[in-house]
């Protein structure tokens, strides 16, 4: 497996982390709190995502949404059968089982309401007019199409440890 090695010099002053290995030679310290850690490429990517989602638990990069399920804003996703409605990104994120997360458009296929969803028995219900929609990846009904049944538009959702990755182009 291709592996990039990054030398991190973890400084004790201000908690600043410096990526430049060239600094190692000029910043040698006898401070026992200093240490050199070697990170894999995957670890660097994961740490970067944790930093970018640290503020409010999510980070949108173009058409990709990253969401930290350990952040307080998304604590409901710790429970199977719970979901969050991210109004900023028009997406419902559901913890369907212990290991399965799914993401759907939050636009109701009936008349486009986005903020009146509940979930039970494998279906989302929009309380505006009471229609329910499934979560299967077939018979998709589009936002505001006046459909009163069918399944919500679904986005490909993957996971990097505790970071969910939602692809809005899928
Ligand atoms: S807008 Fe959702 S059921 Fe009518």
């Amino acid at each position: 497996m291709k592996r990039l090695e990054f030398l991190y010099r973890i400084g004790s002053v201000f908690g600043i982390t410096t990526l430049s290995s060239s600094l190692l030679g000029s910043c040698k310290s006898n401070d026992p709190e200093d240490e050199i850690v070697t990170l894999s490429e995957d670890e660097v990517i994961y740490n970067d995502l944790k930093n970018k989602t640290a503020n409010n638990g999510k980070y949108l990069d173009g058409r990709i949404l990253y969401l930290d399920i350990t952040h307080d804003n998304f604590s409901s996703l710790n429970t199977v059968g719970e979901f969050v409605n991210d109004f900023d990104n028009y997406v419902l994120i559901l913890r369907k089982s212990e290991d399965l997360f799914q993401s759907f458009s939050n636009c109701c296929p009936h008349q486009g309401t986005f903020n009146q969803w509940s979930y039970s028995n494998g279906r989302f219900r929009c309380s505006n007019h009471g229609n329910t929609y499934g979560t299967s990846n077939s018979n998709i009904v589009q936002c505001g199409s006046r459909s009163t049944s069918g399944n919500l538009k679904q986005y490909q959702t993957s996971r990097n440890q505790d970071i969910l990755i939602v692809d809005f182009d899928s």
Side-chain angles (χ1 to χ4, degrees):
M1 175 180 151
K2 180 181 175 186
R3 179 181 173 92
L4 294 178
E5 291 193 345
F6 292 82
L7 292 177
Y8 265 69
R9 186 173 194 279
I10 313 252
S12 58
V13 179
F14 306 121
I16 295 173
T17 301
T18 304
L19 263 174
S20 172
S21 59
S22 65
L23 291 178
L24 288 173
S26 61
C27 296
K28 285 185 178 173
S29 166
N30 293 324
D31 188 335
E33 292 186 15
D34 285 357
E35 60 178 311
I36 295 174
V37 179
T38 302
L39 298 178
S40 70
E41 183 179 15
D42 288 345
E43 289 168 327
V44 171
I45 291 170
Y46 172 74
N47 287 346
D48 183 52
L49 291 176
K50 289 296 278 188
N51 287 333
K52 287 176 174 170
T53 56
N55 186 33
N56 61 3
K58 59 190 176 184
Y59 167 67
L60 183 66
D61 183 9
R63 300 278 297 157
I64 304 288
L65 175 66
Y66 300 94
L67 192 149
D68 186 344
I69 59 175
T70 66
H71 195 279
D72 286 348
N73 287 348
F74 302 106
S75 58
S76 58
L77 292 176
N78 290 321
T79 305
V80 171
E82 292 293 329
F83 74 98
V84 293
N85 189 346
D86 179 4
F87 297 155
D88 293 337
N89 296 296
Y90 311 103
V91 63
L92 300 166
I93 298 149
L94 169 69
R95 185 163 200 162
K96 192 149 191 185
S97 68
E98 194 60 40
D99 296 319
L100 178 62
F101 292 82
Q102 293 180 314
S103 303
F104 306 90
S105 168
N106 73 356
C107 178
C108 180
H110 186 220
Q111 292 184 10
T113 298
F114 63 92
N115 60 354
Q116 296 187 37
W117 292 108
S118 58
Y119 178 82
S120 65
N121 299 320
R123 299 182 68 80
F124 280 98
R125 179 180 187 275
C126 173
S127 62
N128 195 2
H129 304 100
N131 296 317
T132 65
Y133 302 91
T135 57
S136 298
N137 210 1
S138 61
N139 190 26
I140 303 298
V141 281
Q142 299 300 321
C143 167
S145 60
R146 306 192 74 80
S147 301
T148 57
S149 62
N151 295 311
L152 294 179
K153 161 76 178 158
Q154 188 171 159
Y155 303 113
Q156 184 178 323
T157 305
S158 56
R159 192 171 168 182
N160 181 348
Q161 300 183 54
D162 48 20
I163 304 284
L164 294 184
I165 304 165
V166 181
D167 182 354
F168 289 124
D169 282 333
S170 59

